[in-house]
Amino acid sequence: MKFVPTIAAISSILCATPFASADSLHTHWEKFKAHRAFHHLSADGQRAFQDILKARDILQTTGKTEAAIPALYDAQKRLAAAEKADKKFQAAESDLHPSPQHSILANHQPVVGQTDWLPVGGEFIVSETLAPEKKAAVISANAQLKTGNTDQAAQSMKVVGADADFIMALAPIAPVQGAVYRATVFTEGHHPQDAVDALNQALNSVVFVSESTIETLAPATPAPAKK
């Protein structure tokens, strides 16, 4: 299954649906044991984008602004919490080098200069030639990543070993916060289409990169203190 760079694809990576890839970025099992594929993900960022998708779908399909308000308020709170956490990192978009498996979204507006990026989703991708039991393990691991169960995901990936890549969805914090704020104002003012347009701007800002890019640019997460 080939990745298609649309808002539906953003929903897919947040919902942890596997898709095809080529060569593996993981050459050693130690990467999985150390959770290098997981520890950069922002739980608050991931939840914020799930809220953004939820609000957009409500507004787009029903036009009921009151029903979308809770998701928008939660998205704002989650983004504020993510901004204060240590999962973000600063980089110029030109330094991110999007994954070759993913084209830039059609309506993507590049961010100029240095900005803070937030890893809002992650997904293992595998070759179509992978054995059925390994494909099933990847499906389980992606579902576990979606719910934040990184330990379980690591266990599931033991079956797969190094035959998988890891792609992350990065969102520029400031533009996304601005778009969500505008969407909230439009929603409170009962202008659902304007709110949908603002939320689409937030979703279109996402860039997909390989794990190797994150390992290079993001600050290392300190190891937990031994008891």
Side-chain angles (χ1 to χ4, degrees):
M1 182 168 61
K2 188 70 175 178
F3 182 88
V4 180
T6 62
I7 288 177
I10 297 174
S11 177
S12 174
I13 199 169
L14 290 173
C15 293
T17 302
F19 49 90
S21 178
D23 296 332
S24 174
L25 295 173
H26 300 291
T27 57
H28 300 289
W29 169 236
E30 292 300 320
K31 289 188 176 183
F32 289 110
K33 290 201 296 185
H35 289 195
R36 290 181 64 183
F38 309 135
H39 68 216
H40 293 300
L41 291 178
S42 167
D44 283 314
Q46 186 176 21
R47 176 62 182 273
F49 265 73
Q50 290 171 345
D51 288 328
I52 290 170
L53 286 164
K54 179 179 179 180
R56 187 192 69 100
D57 289 344
I58 291 172
L59 292 166
Q60 188 166 261
T61 58
T62 71
K64 295 181 179 179
T65 52
E66 294 83 359
I69 287 293
L72 290 172
Y73 285 173
D74 190 59
Q76 287 183 322
K77 292 178 182 177
R78 295 283 180 175
L79 287 171
E83 186 179 25
K84 297 176 182 178
D86 62 357
K87 299 299 183 181
K88 66 181 185 296
F89 66 96
Q90 190 173 88
E93 183 167 339
S94 58
D95 292 331
L96 293 179
H97 306 298
S99 169
Q101 290 93 354
H102 307 303
S103 301
I104 297 295
L105 299 176
N107 297 320
H108 178 76
Q109 295 294 323
V111 178
V112 178
Q114 296 280 318
T115 192
D116 286 330
W117 296 88
L118 192 66
V120 297
E123 180 174 51
F124 286 105
I125 55 179
V126 296
S127 169
E128 290 289 351
T129 60
L130 204 64
E133 65 273 15
K134 291 189 176 184
K135 288 184 178 180
V138 171
I139 292 173
S140 296
N142 281 334
Q144 289 154 353
L145 276 181
K146 177 191 172 185
T147 58
N149 293 322
T150 56
D151 288 338
Q152 292 180 15
Q155 289 296 318
S156 297
M157 288 303 294
K158 285 183 178 180
V159 176
V160 183
D163 297 326
D165 297 341
F166 192 68
I167 301 298
M168 286 188 183
L170 301 181
I173 297 178
V176 169
Q177 286 179 316
V180 172
Y181 175 77
R182 292 193 301 276
T184 303
V185 172
F186 286 133
T187 302
E188 291 173 338
H190 304 288
H191 299 291
Q193 187 53 55
D194 290 332
V196 169
D197 292 342
L199 293 175
N200 283 340
Q201 290 175 9
L203 295 168
N204 286 330
S205 71
V206 172
V207 175
F208 298 93
V209 302
S210 68
E211 179 199 3
S212 59
T213 298
I214 304 297
E215 293 293 342
T216 301
L217 296 174
T221 301
K226 295 182 179 180
K227 295 182 179 180

